[in-house]
Amino acid sequence: MALAASSTAHAFLPDDFGQLLIATASRMSIALQTTTVVQTDAFEFRIPRVTAEAGTNWYAENADITLTDATLAEEVVRPRKIAGISKLSNELVGDSSPAAAQVVGNSLARSIATGIDAAFFGSADGSGVPPKGIGAFADGDITVVAGPAAWANVDPFTEAIFKAEAIGANITAFIANPADAEILAKLKKETGSNEPLLAPDATSPTTRYLGGVPLWTSSNVAAGSIIGYDATRTFTVVRNGTEVELDRSVFFGSYSTAVRAIARVAFGYAHPKSIVRITLED
């Protein structure tokens, strides 16, 4: 009977705890909040890309229309495994109250959300275990805006917005290092004014905007560099079947339980040029 703890574990972690974990991580991860999230049961997810549009022209009445084809390609995304283990006292595990479950859920969700964001803004090229991150793109692959020597106004972000629009994209989020966001938040619209440069949202006081685009913060973005992208062309692919398991044998000596969480996530970039990097002068 000492090993038959399945009833307690089941009460503590309901059958759908895996989906609850992803839902909680979604509220903590910048990548999951600012990109298009796709869930799939497949080993890989294919994102169609149009690299050249089909041609059109003006025609006279009864004239034959010339057949033209669009040039198609695809972005293949293969979710990669991200996993974590937490050590919990058996007293906490034995408490099946919602508050105890929330403690574990938040801990594991924070760990997974942190790992997802680190990979999303990281420089891994996708050839190894971590999925390809935004940092892996060379300047020639994306849109680059040369910033000033120091943040002073919204001009670089306005330039980024219009450069994206010039290629048919629409920047839906700017992501900055907290140090850069703090500098921007302290700037005023003009000399002698107390009105901040970052426009607040009356319906969401914690949200700030740069040129009408929400500004998010992540310590995974290098200081002095701000990233913008179009959520409709930037994807986070989550494979269904998130696993959460308990094991009391790992930490038997300390009367604790190991909780292991495994998720499978990767990123897809349907239009790399819609990613804009704004960098301060060296």
Side-chain angles (χ1 to χ4, degrees):
M1 289 296 293
L3 297 178
S6 58
S7 59
T8 301
H10 182 81
F12 174 65
L13 296 177
D15 293 334
D16 60 349
F17 193 81
Q19 290 304 313
L20 175 64
L21 180 69
I22 286 296
T24 305
S26 296
R27 297 192 296 269
M28 301 178 178
S29 166
I30 300 299
L32 289 170
Q33 293 182 80
T34 61
T35 64
T36 297
V37 178
V38 178
Q39 294 193 337
T40 179
D41 291 318
F43 168 72
E44 58 186 21
F45 182 78
R46 297 174 180 268
I47 303 171
R49 296 174 54 193
V50 178
T51 57
E53 302 286 356
T56 59
N57 207 340
W58 297 97
Y59 294 92
E61 187 175 352
N62 293 327
D64 290 335
I65 301 174
T66 303
L67 176 65
T68 61
D69 295 322
T71 303
L72 303 179
E74 62 181 7
E75 172 86 357
V76 181
V77 183
R78 296 183 177 89
R80 313 293 178 85
K81 179 175 67 178
I82 178 171
I85 293 180
S86 291
K87 180 181 179 181
L88 307 171
S89 70
N90 285 346
E91 289 84 357
L92 177 60
V93 174
D95 182 1
S96 60
S97 69
Q102 190 65 40
V103 168
V104 182
N106 287 342
S107 175
L108 291 171
R110 278 193 299 269
S111 179
I112 288 180
T114 299
I116 290 173
D117 285 352
F120 180 61
F121 295 108
S123 58
D125 62 4
S127 60
V129 175
K132 185 175 182 178
I134 285 181
F137 287 102
D139 287 350
D141 298 327
I142 61 176
T143 300
V144 176
V145 172
W151 305 120
N153 51 52
V154 297
D155 289 353
F157 310 101
T158 301
E159 181 180 349
I161 292 170
F162 281 102
K163 278 193 172 183
E165 290 183 358
I167 56 174
N170 178 35
I171 294 180
T172 55
F174 282 121
I175 319 296
N177 184 280
D180 292 307
E182 181 181 356
I183 294 172
L184 289 167
K186 291 179 178 178
L187 294 177
K188 302 301 184 284
K189 286 192 173 181
E190 59 185 29
T191 303
S193 172
N194 287 324
E195 188 175 0
L197 180 68
L198 300 186
D201 183 357
T203 62
S204 179
T206 59
T207 304
R208 296 293 181 267
Y209 289 84
L210 278 174
V213 176
L215 174 66
W216 301 74
T217 61
S218 173
S219 58
N220 293 295
V221 177
S225 180
I226 295 180
I227 307 295
Y229 46 81
D230 187 335
T232 66
R233 306 180 184 203
T234 311
F235 296 81
T236 300
V237 180
V238 180
R239 188 172 179 181
N240 293 328
T242 301
E243 301 174 9
V244 180
E245 296 184 4
L246 279 76
D247 190 328
R248 294 194 174 189
S249 64
V250 177
F251 303 119
F252 179 80
S254 62
Y255 194 62
S256 300
T257 297
V259 182
R260 184 186 69 191
I262 296 176
R264 294 168 179 84
V265 180
F267 314 106
Y269 311 97
H271 187 190
K273 281 292 184 181
S274 66
I275 300 171
V276 182
R277 182 185 295 134
I278 308 167
T279 307
L280 290 176
E281 292 180 2
D282 293 338

